[in-house]
Amino acid sequence: MKCFPFIIAFFFAMNSWAQEVPASDYSRMPDKVYLHLDRDLYAPGDTIWMKAYVFHRNNQELSDNDFSLHIQMLSQDGREVGHYKLLVVDGMGVGQIPIITDVTPGYYQLIAHTGHMKNFGEQFFFKKTIEITHSNSKVSIRTFFDKDYYAVGDTAKISFKAFDEYQLPYPNLRFQYALTSNDKKIEKRWLKCYEDGSISVNVPISQGSKDNPPKLDLYYFEHESDEEPMETQLFVPMKDDDVVVHFFPEGGNIIKGMNCKIAFEATDLLGEPVEVKGVLLENGEETQQLSTMHDGMGLFLLYPNDAKYSFKVTEPAGIDKVFELPKVIPSGYNIAFLRQDAKSVYMTVTHNFSESKKVSLWVSQNDALLKVFDFDVSGNRMFALPKADFPCGVVTFTITDDKNRPQAERLVYLPDAESNMAVSTSESIYSQRKKVVVTLKKEHPESKAFLSAAVVDSVMAKSPNLEMDNIKSYTYLSSELKGKIHDVTQYLENDRMTEQYRDLLLMTHGWRRFAWIYKQQYQDSLNVVDFKIVSGQVVKGNKPEPMAKITAMAIGDFYSATTLTANEEGKFSMRMQFEDRKKDQIQFQGKTAKGRDNVQVILQNTDTLLFGGIVKKNKDNLQPLVYAMNRYVTQQEEKENEKPFLSYETKMLKELVVYGDRNTTTATDAIYEAAKSVATASIKGEDLLGDFQFSEYVMQAAPHKISYDQTTDFLQVASRGVQTGLVDLRDPSEAGAYIYLNRIPYSKYTRDLDFLSKEDIIEIVVLDPDQAFTMYGTEGAYGIILVRTKPMDFTPKKKLSSNMAVFDNFIKSREYYKPIYETKSQDSAVVVDNRITLDWEPLIETDENGKATFEFYTDDISGTKQIIVQGIDEDGNLYYQTKTFESKIVNLY
């Protein structure tokens, strides 16, 4: 083996070569969602208490949109057993999910996403697994294994702990366990618990496999007089007999004559890590011994020749397998991560071409481009990048050639800024039913932190079969990497050993992500917008017009058109592609088969505006067109009992919520009747369809006379004589129709009226500029929109509180019940306090000194309790902190 000749041609900081990258439009990217649950182990009849955090993927600031969060609960076989909506205000939402008493015990998955996230694929959804155990009988036994998995020949230490009906330790319980495999008895014994309800036993595992694990049966009696025992059955977790090894060259390729770090990962057939040893073969000859370093992952150096490389497994014994490495390519580029310190990230770019090459370094995070550096490389070039330019978390460095084609890529983890939150209690040991005051202290108090805290029994609240994630490990690692990661929280520490293991994780679970960069750059250079399939129907008086003629036109610097003929039902489907993605006018025209133009074109599908994972701005241009079809589609649903496919553009974030108390506001009908006599259009509230935003309600009144600019949030009413179907989205300064609410000038911004639901609206009247100028003067230059509502208070109250009244099938947030033991009467009112979750505090905010406090009372169960605090502050810093204390039962009599 040859040594790597680190011949450094240049060492430099690259800021002077950096290209300007436009600021990221976070509305065009999927948010990140994280659910903080009070625990991950529940029983039938329990309640799942939760707080949702929704924040931008890149700057981690709380989302400023108000919308609903969809939460699905799936069973182990993939069936949806529950679908809930949680109101999110200013990036946070609080709620709970009750677990029915007759639920089938097992593992369930919670999946959370906003409507907007559907545009980007399920890989961005938040997913968390919980366990629901059997209903607690009067006596129950929980089982714990000392290892995650066992192999034949291992000795398993199995621990048992008995509890009574109040979840208190059950002393001196006699029970029997039986371990069998293939219906053959391995071991059978009687055991008796100690005073604390626990006991352990060592059991040799003489047979069994992953597919056919040994079965552990427990038999016990709730009462000595019982004739039939209670029975619990579970299986001993076994390692797989087989192993799979994958190899990941740093940068992406093994290149002839260029030293390369190669990471590898060994797993069983179900993706669980396996520790292996073996030998590297070069054309069948042994060259070096290899072994995994951590959780089935390993690393070695290779200076490749024009040879075939493979890896032969020698341990575990009995696995006689050889795995081939990726082929050696004759020439190419590579990028390698050297190290990082407090200020900089050090990397090298190399190639084996004879002449100097122009390359670009694309720096990105969470699929958003941060910077691009252009430079020349003659063989090797080393550089340092200032860490202050990039956010913490996984950052992607991609090398492209002089034609902007991706050649190599490397992921690097930049640690967070150590945003610490001190959690303290006045005592470390408490007796039962005693007050505990918890104090939280933020290290940097200048930005307010929004936190949630759960206080739980450290044994009863945690499933021994699940690994706990937290807001930091999910945001920084697991949500940005691929594959199954064993105990991802272990990679958050910043000691030297953890840094090595974390880098191994990046090389094996985040490999070759550069496809999106190439697609974005390539598309931007062509300025192509692909609308893919756009479908609709031509109607005449709400009746389908057979064999109608449709023309779709893009009007801008160049004219482009597409024509086609509808079918017998007036329906059509077309693929639209325009060469200039900056068009600001899109026009649909329809004619009858005989060429008459007294028909209407109804669009039914504008969903497929995604191209290469990037949502183009043309989606804004099409948005007004989809409003015209809302009424027709709804009518078709009622007539045909069908559920037509509506685009995410029309479905996304349409749920409206009513806040606050209703007050009385007077309005006279005479003004609206006078306005209607000269109005362009009007619509009754009872005729409004769907649960939409306010701009969409107005569009239903006159879909072809009103355009909506999503950038400015203005509605503009067309003057008389404007061609039907033409949607003009040019952005003149302050070009918006003024909205009057119950005769009072209210706003030009439609979002200011999004708190209105269709049930609140009596009527919407639209005046075009000619009419509006006559009645309102220059204020009506772009039209006037008059809104009359039922008596109510129009001040939306967006304060997230635990007693907020939420309608339209949202989860109604309740306050977590916790007993108070300040007086004897309060103490005597509770017979047995066996809470597993002692306290749930979802709405903690730090003050100007960075402090916050909350309090609760201990229960009647002795043991270790854990305080788990999670959250985010106004600057996007994440917090995860835990604190434990002991609770001991003291006999006071």
Side-chain angles (χ1 to χ4, degrees), residues 335 345 347 361-363 385 395-399 408-410 412:
I335 183 171
V345 178
M347 308 188 78
L361 175 66
W362 301 54
V363 186
L385 292 171
V395 179
T396 304
F397 298 88
T398 305
I399 292 295
E409 185 174 270
R410 184 62 156 89
V412 177

Side-chain angles (χ1 to χ4, degrees), residues 142-147 150 155-161 175 177 179 191 199-205 216 218 234 236-237:
R142 293 188 63 190
T143 307
F144 305 90
F145 297 96
D146 66 327
K147 293 183 180 180
Y150 299 95
T155 297
K157 182 179 180 180
I158 307 176
S159 300
F160 305 97
K161 191 162 187 178
F175 66 95
Y177 80 87
L179 188 66
L191 298 174
I199 192 170
S200 299
V201 62
N202 293 321
V203 180
I205 307 299
L216 184 67
L218 301 178
L234 64 157
V236 178

Side-chain angles (χ1 to χ4, degrees), residues 123-230:
Q123 68 269 24
F124 294 104
F125 293 0
F126 173 84
K127 299 178 181 179
K128 180 176 178 61
T129 301
I130 63 172
E131 183 180 359
I132 299 178
T133 62
H134 290 272
S135 295
N136 294 322
S137 59
K138 293 184 178 179
V139 177
S140 59
I141 300 178
R142 293 188 63 190
T143 307
F144 305 90
F145 297 96
D146 66 327
K147 293 183 180 180
D148 293 330
Y149 300 94
Y150 299 95
V152 174
D154 288 348
T155 297
K157 182 179 180 180
I158 307 176
S159 300
F160 305 97
K161 191 162 187 178
F163 298 90
D164 64 14
E165 60 184 309
Y166 302 111
Q167 296 304 301
L168 298 175
Y170 192 93
N172 304 319
L173 175 70
R174 282 178 53 82
F175 66 95
Q176 185 183 64
Y177 80 87
L179 188 66
T180 59
S181 179
N182 293 322
D183 297 327
K184 295 181 180 179
K185 182 178 69 175
I186 298 178
E187 185 168 318
K188 186 175 183 179
R189 290 176 58 184
W190 280 94
L191 298 174
K192 183 179 179 181
C193 294
Y194 299 119
E195 289 295 326
D196 63 354
S198 66
I199 192 170
S200 299
V201 62
N202 293 321
V203 180
I205 307 299
S206 58
Q207 54 182 294
S209 65
K210 185 85 172 184
D211 297 328
N212 189 19
K215 183 175 64 172
L216 184 67
D217 293 296
L218 301 178
Y219 305 94
Y220 56 94
F221 294 93
E222 290 190 343
H223 304 286
E224 293 184 1
S225 59
D226 291 344
E227 296 181 359
E228 295 294 329
M230 302 294 295

Side-chain angles (χ1 to χ4, degrees), residues 144-429:
F144 305 90
F145 297 96
D146 66 327
K147 293 183 180 180
D148 293 330
Y149 300 94
Y150 299 95
V152 174
D154 288 348
T155 297
K157 182 179 180 180
I158 307 176
S159 300
F160 305 97
K161 191 162 187 178
F163 298 90
D164 64 14
E165 60 184 309
Y166 302 111
Q167 296 304 301
L168 298 175
Y170 192 93
N172 304 319
L173 175 70
R174 282 178 53 82
F175 66 95
Q176 185 183 64
Y177 80 87
L179 188 66
T180 59
S181 179
N182 293 322
D183 297 327
K184 295 181 180 179
K185 182 178 69 175
I186 298 178
E187 185 168 318
K188 186 175 183 179
R189 290 176 58 184
W190 280 94
L191 298 174
K192 183 179 179 181
C193 294
Y194 299 119
E195 289 295 326
D196 63 354
S198 66
I199 192 170
S200 299
V201 62
N202 293 321
V203 180
I205 307 299
S206 58
Q207 54 182 294
S209 65
K210 185 85 172 184
D211 297 328
N212 189 19
K215 183 175 64 172
L216 184 67
D217 293 296
L218 301 178
Y219 305 94
Y220 56 94
F221 294 93
E222 290 190 343
H223 304 286
E224 293 184 1
S225 59
D226 291 344
E227 296 181 359
E228 295 294 329
M230 302 294 295
E231 180 178 353
T232 301
Q233 184 182 94
L234 64 157
F235 295 91
V236 178
M238 298 292 292
K239 282 186 177 294
D240 204 299
D241 295 332
D242 210 343
V243 66
V244 178
V245 183
H246 297 283
F247 297 90
F248 306 90
E250 184 177 34
N253 294 306
I254 303 177
I255 305 171
K256 181 181 178 181
M258 293 174 56
N259 200 2
C260 181
K261 284 189 290 187
I262 300 178
F264 64 97
E265 183 186 27
T267 66
D268 62 20
L269 297 182
L270 296 180
E272 299 295 339
V274 177
E275 303 302 329
V276 301
K277 292 183 179 180
V279 60
L280 182 67
L281 306 177
E282 181 177 327
N283 291 331
E285 299 293 328
E286 296 185 3
T287 59
Q288 60 174 309
Q289 299 290 326
L290 304 178
S291 63
T292 52
M293 301 165 54
H294 177 72
D295 276 351
M297 299 178 292
L299 182 71
F300 63 95
L301 287 176
L302 179 66
Y303 191 84
N305 301 309
D306 190 7
K308 179 180 179 181
Y309 294 91
S310 56
F311 173 73
K312 181 179 180 180
V313 178
T314 57
E315 293 184 19
I319 299 179
D320 187 18
K321 278 194 169 184
V322 176
F323 298 92
E324 292 188 2
L325 274 65
K327 292 183 179 179
V328 179
I329 63 175
S331 59
Y333 300 82
N334 198 15
I335 183 171
F337 168 65
L338 299 179
R339 62 184 178 87
Q340 61 177 301
D341 55 28
K343 294 183 178 181
S344 302
V345 178
Y346 302 89
M347 308 188 78
T348 60
V349 175
T350 58
H351 64 74
N352 62 351
F353 298 101
S354 57
E355 68 278 6
S356 176
K357 293 287 187 180
K358 293 184 178 295
V359 300
S360 297
L361 175 66
W362 301 54
V363 186
S364 60
Q365 186 182 59
N366 298 338
D367 296 346
L369 190 60
L370 302 177
K371 285 194 175 183
V372 179
F373 302 97
D374 299 319
F375 53 95
D376 296 331
V377 176
S378 298
N380 301 279
R381 190 157 187 173
M382 181 178 176
F383 54 86
L385 292 171
K387 294 171 68 173
D389 290 347
F390 310 118
C392 55
V394 177
V395 179
T396 304
F397 298 88
T398 305
I399 292 295
T400 62
D401 61 16
D402 56 354
K403 295 182 179 179
N404 281 326
R405 295 173 298 192
Q407 300 294 331
E409 185 174 270
R410 184 62 156 89
L411 272 62
V412 177
Y413 180 84
L414 304 183
D416 67 348
E418 294 294 333
S419 49
N420 294 322
M421 176 73 66
V423 182
S424 60
T425 58
S426 56
E427 307 288 341
S428 59
I429 301 176

Side-chain angles (χ1 to χ4, degrees), residues 1 89 163 215 236 365 376 386 449 583 585 678 681 693 702 719 794 811 821:
M1 302 297 295
V89 177
F163 298 90
K215 183 175 64 172
V236 178
Q365 186 182 59
D376 296 331
K583 294 292 181 285
Q585 290 186 351
V678 296
Q693 294 168 334
S719 297
F794 296 111
I811 296 174
Y821 300 126

Side-chain angles (χ1 to χ4, degrees), residues 11-34:
F11 178 83
F12 59 95
M14 301 177 59
N15 281 336
S16 59
W17 282 270
Q19 300 179 13
E20 290 297 325
V21 176
S24 297
D25 181 3
Y26 296 112
S27 66
R28 296 293 168 190
M29 302 177 189
D31 286 320
K32 276 193 178 178
V33 173
Y34 178 77

Side-chain angles (χ1 to χ4, degrees), residues 28-60:
R28 296 293 168 190
M29 302 177 189
D31 286 320
K32 276 193 178 178
V33 173
Y34 178 77
L35 294 184
H36 179 193
L37 309 184
D38 62 321
R39 45 192 164 110
D40 64 348
L41 181 65
Y42 299 90
D46 282 349
T47 298
I48 303 172
W49 298 87
M50 66 178 67
K51 181 175 183 180
Y53 295 92
V54 184
F55 43 88
H56 300 304
R57 295 184 70 218
N58 291 83
N59 60 14
Q60 292 169 195

